[in-house]
Structures are given as structure tokens and as C-alpha cells.
């Protein structure tokens, strides 16, 4: 069977899950990837209350929806980041606490560990998210930045995330980093370096999202083949690039999404420059059989219209992988005694 089409609920957190679930089914989705914000999935409630987990599952089942992954991008961002006032708006109050940066990072790490425990209790084996980065701000190497500076950033990532990954190992849950600008890994080279930093920990892999690679001119199909055994989840999100007025470059010009001047912007699935036909073929090539999870973002379009067309687009495009070579029918069959049967001409 083709892969399930799911909807990541992060951009829909303003809607209660009880409203979003029937809407998602109406829009054509097979399931939801629940975000750990809004009222969609509360990590601490899941750990402390067995009834909470049962109620969430019952709500999904009522609407014929599945869930195989949860996502905690917002808290994960605070694990390695230099903390500023922006983080207060994205992390739970108990993670922010008094706002002391190292305290926030430590509490964020513990919350991600709890997210792995809650995922296991909820019956899912993948947590998607961000890691944050202590060195993203040094992306453009001026003042002059040497490799030792960046090495320390990857060492900081490893020191903070290895205990988290060990805790995930104890739960049998994978962490899938969404490779993304502002994270420790944002392209193929840094993803490889991040893997090396955590010594190829078996619980560390990637949530593939071609949109964050495409506008950087990173080969997103090569990414899939490079990390074939580490693709734990896949986001379907589109982007276009090479547009705008020429006033704003790839770094964004401090212009908001949807600004007509931008060189790149996110688009509804199928309306941007990502070649999803190649993505589906590559996912089949590497044996990925998980969900295609739509992360819908398009500032110019009504989201219900966009999410509906995205589900339909992927359903038309996806196909199950073959379990037989197409030319096997032409193979000569070996007969008893070593003779071979020649196909009729």
C-alpha cells in the first residue's frame, strides 16, 4: 500500500484537537503528526495521567486517524541555543522558569527526555524536533571563525544530546532532527558532522524536509541516499526560490514570509520548485515506508484549501514500491537437467 498521508499539526495549534481531527479527515488525511504545543499533545499530562493518553487515542480513532510520530521542535530548539527573549514565547513556562540561559537549556533537555518517555507511552516510536545550535550565529565566518570554534559547537551538541539519545534508547524511540537553518545540521555536510559528533548513535536520525534544503541549493535527493538508514520520518513541504524583486537575497533580508520581495518562500505542496516525483522515487529506493507528513505553510493561501490540495496531490503522486524487477518476466527459466527454456518470439 502507498504510505499514509498525515498532517503535522504545528501550524494548526490555534485549533483544539477536537476541531482539527474531523477537519483533517475531511481534508483527506489518514493521520496526524501531533505537535507538543497547543492542546494537541501535552508531554507532562501524558506521563502523569493514563487517561490522557487513552483520550487522545480515542479521539483520533473516532475520526479514523492514526498517529505514528509526535513533534517537539520548540523545546528542542532551546537545548543548544544561546537563549534570548524569543525562546520565552515558544517553550512551556516550566521550561523557561527564571529564564537563566543554562537553566533553560537544562530544563529543555529534561523535557525532551520526557517527550521520548511520553511517546513510548502513547505508542509511537519517533519524536521529531530541533536541536538548537550554539554556533548557528557564526554561519557567516566574520569575525574570522576557525574550525576549532565550530568543533566546540558540535562538541556542545554532543554533550547535551547524547544523554537524551541514551534515554531514547532505553525507551526504544528514535529522535529525528529536522535538518533546518538554525539547527546544528542544516545541510548534508553538517548532518554528517552531527552524526559523527554523537558517534552515530542508533537513536539519532533525520526528519527529511526538502523545503529547507532546496532554497539553499542543497541536493535533497542526494540527502536521502546519503542518510538512507537514518531517515526516520518525512515532511512534505514545498518552497520556491529565484523569485522576488532582487532586493532580498537567500538570507531573507529581515523580510516576513509572504513579502513579495523575498528570493524564496514556502509554498503549498505541488506549487513550488521541489520535485516531489523524484522525492517519492528516492524514498522508495531507500526503503522508507513511513508517513508522508504535510507541513503546510503558504502565507498567500487559505490553509484549508492548501492542506486539502496538498493531501490530494500526494495521494495522486505516491505509489507502492515494486517487489519484483519489471524485466524479470524476460528471464530464461532453467529446466531440469540444466536446459533453459527460451521465451517464444
Amino acid at each position: 500500500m502507498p504510505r499514509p498521508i498525515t498532517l503535522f499539526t504545528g501550524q494548526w495549534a490555534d485549533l483544539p484537537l477536537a476541531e482539527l481531527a474531523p477537519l483533517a479527515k475531511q481534508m483527506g488525511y489518514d493521520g496526524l503528526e501531533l505537535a507538543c504545543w497547543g492542546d494537541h499533545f501535552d508531554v507532562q499530562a501524558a506521563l502523569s495521567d493514563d487517561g490522557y493518553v487513552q483520550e487522545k487515542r480515542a479521539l483520533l480513532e473516532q475520526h479514523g486517524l492514526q498517529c505514528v510520530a509526535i513533534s517537539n521542535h520548540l523545546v528542542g530548539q532551546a537545548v543548544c541555543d544561546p537563549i534570548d527573549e524569543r525562546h520565552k514565547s515558544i517553550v512551556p513556562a516550566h521550561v523557561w522558569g527564571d529564564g537563566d540561559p543554562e537553566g533553560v537549556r537544562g530544563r529543555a533537555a529534561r523535557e525532551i527526555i520526557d517527550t521520548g518517555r511520553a511517546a513510548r507511552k502513547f505508542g509511537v516510536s519517533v519524536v521529531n524536533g530541533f536541536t538548537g545550535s550554539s554556533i548557528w550565529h557564526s554561519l557567516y565566518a566574520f569575525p574570522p571563525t576557525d574550525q576549532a570554534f565550530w568543533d566546540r559547537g558540535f562538541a556542545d551538541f554532543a554533550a547535551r544530546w547524547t544523554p537524551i539519545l541514551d534515554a531514547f534508547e532505553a525507551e526504544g524511540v528514535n529522535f529525528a532532527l529536522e535538518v533546518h537553518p538554525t539547527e546544528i545540521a542544516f545541510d548534508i555536510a553538517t548532518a554528517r558532522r552531527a552524526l559523527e559528533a554523537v558517534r552515530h548513535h542508533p537513536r539519532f536520525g533525520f526528519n527529511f524536509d526538502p523545503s529547507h534544503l532546496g532554497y539553499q541549493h542543497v541536493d535533497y535527493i542526494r540527502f536521502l541516499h546519503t542518510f538512507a538508514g537514518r531517515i526516520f520520518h518525512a515532511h512534505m513541504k514545498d518552497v520556491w526560490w529565484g523569485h522576488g524583486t532582487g532586493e532580498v537575497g537567500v538570507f531573507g533580508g529581515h523580510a516576513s514570509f509572504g513579502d513579495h520581495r523575498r528570493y524564496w518562500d514556502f509554498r503549498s505542496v505541488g506549487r513550488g520548485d521541489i520535485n516531489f516525483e523524484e522525492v517519492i522515487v528516492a524514498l522508495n529506493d531507500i526503503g522508507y515506508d513511513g508517513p508522508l507528513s504535510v507541513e503546510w505553510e503558504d502565507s498567500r493561501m487559505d490553509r484549508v484549501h492548501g492542506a486539502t490540495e496538498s493531501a490530494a496531490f500526494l495521494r495522486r503522486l505516491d505509489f507502492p514500491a515494486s517487489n519484483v524487477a519489471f524485466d524479470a518476466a524476460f528471464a530464461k527459466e532453467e529446466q531440469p537437467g540444466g536446459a533453459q527454456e527460451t521465451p517464444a518470439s
Side-chain angles (χ1 to χ4, degrees):
M1 294 292 291
R3 287 163 281 253
I5 309 297
T6 62
L7 178 69
F8 174 44
T9 71
Q11 289 75 20
W12 305 74
D14 57 306
L15 295 181
L17 188 59
E19 292 182 20
L20 178 57
L23 176 60
K25 192 65 177 179
Q26 178 184 331
M27 291 189 296
Y29 289 91
D30 302 310
L32 299 177
E33 173 196 346
L34 294 178
C36 295
W37 55 91
D39 81 334
H40 296 181
F41 192 85
D42 185 317
V43 168
Q44 296 305 322
L47 291 177
S48 63
D49 183 359
D50 291 341
Y52 178 86
V53 168
Q54 294 165 1
E55 289 169 8
K56 290 291 179 186
R57 278 292 177 192
L59 176 61
L60 295 177
E61 290 169 4
Q62 177 187 347
H63 298 288
L65 298 170
Q66 58 181 280
C67 177
V68 298
I70 62 174
S71 294
N72 207 348
H73 293 66
L74 306 186
V75 171
Q77 187 69 40
V79 174
C80 287
D81 263 12
I83 302 298
D84 60 41
E85 67 274 8
R86 297 171 302 157
H87 294 82
K88 185 177 182 178
S89 67
I90 65 172
V91 300
H94 66 272
V95 172
W96 180 257
D98 61 4
D100 172 71
E102 189 55 35
V104 173
R105 287 188 284 266
R107 288 186 291 273
R110 291 192 290 274
E111 185 77 1
I112 293 295
I113 288 174
D114 281 349
T115 305
R117 295 171 54 217
R120 171 50 56 202
K121 188 173 179 181
F122 191 55
V124 304
S125 59
V126 176
V127 172
N128 298 315
F130 290 153
T131 60
S133 171
S134 65
I135 53 175
W136 168 255
H137 67 280
S138 66
L139 175 70
Y140 197 89
F142 193 86
T145 309
D146 59 17
Q147 287 296 328
F149 182 94
W150 285 320
D151 284 342
R152 288 193 293 274
F154 282 93
D156 176 76
F157 156 70
R160 295 181 186 279
W161 276 89
T162 299
I164 297 172
L165 297 171
D166 288 345
F168 273 48
E169 173 69 21
E171 300 295 336
V173 173
N174 291 327
F175 178 78
L177 166 62
E178 185 169 333
V179 174
H180 183 294
T182 74
E183 308 315 314
I184 195 64
F186 52 90
D187 57 15
I188 293 173
T190 51
R192 185 179 288 115
R193 201 162 173 174
L195 263 173
E196 293 168 353
V198 294
R199 300 179 181 273
H200 296 265
H201 198 291
R203 293 299 173 180
F204 182 73
F206 303 112
N207 175 37
F208 171 72
D209 185 330
S211 71
H212 302 301
L213 302 170
Y215 73 82
Q216 294 186 70
H217 300 281
V218 175
D219 188 333
Y220 49 88
I221 301 301
R222 183 175 180 178
F223 186 96
L224 287 172
H225 289 287
T226 300
F227 303 109
R230 298 281 178 165
I231 305 300
F232 295 156
H233 195 261
H235 270 181
M236 299 290 103
K237 189 166 74 174
D238 212 343
V239 66
W240 70 3
W241 58 89
H243 298 267
T245 62
E247 298 174 65
V248 175
V250 71
F251 295 126
H254 297 311
S256 298
F257 291 116
D259 190 314
H260 74 284
R261 298 171 298 166
R262 287 180 63 96
Y263 170 78
W264 66 271
D265 215 336
F266 296 124
R267 298 301 314 276
S268 189
V269 178
R271 292 183 178 266
D273 294 325
I274 296 298
N275 188 327
F276 284 98
E277 174 73 27
E278 290 190 356
V279 168
I280 296 299
V281 171
L283 289 172
N284 280 348
D285 286 346
I286 67 171
Y288 175 80
D289 60 1
L292 304 178
S293 188
V294 171
E295 183 180 15
W296 192 86
E297 295 180 356
D298 190 328
S299 299
R300 295 173 170 87
M301 186 182 292
D302 175 80
R303 65 179 176 179
V304 173
H305 176 93
T308 302
E309 73 168 20
S310 296
F313 173 83
L314 290 171
R315 203 169 297 284
R316 288 194 305 269
L317 193 64
D318 193 26
F319 57 90
S322 174
N323 60 4
V324 62
F326 74 89
D327 56 354
F330 302 109
K332 295 179 179 180
E333 296 181 8
E334 190 167 328
Q335 300 298 306
Q340 289 185 327
E341 178 182 336
T342 304
S345 58

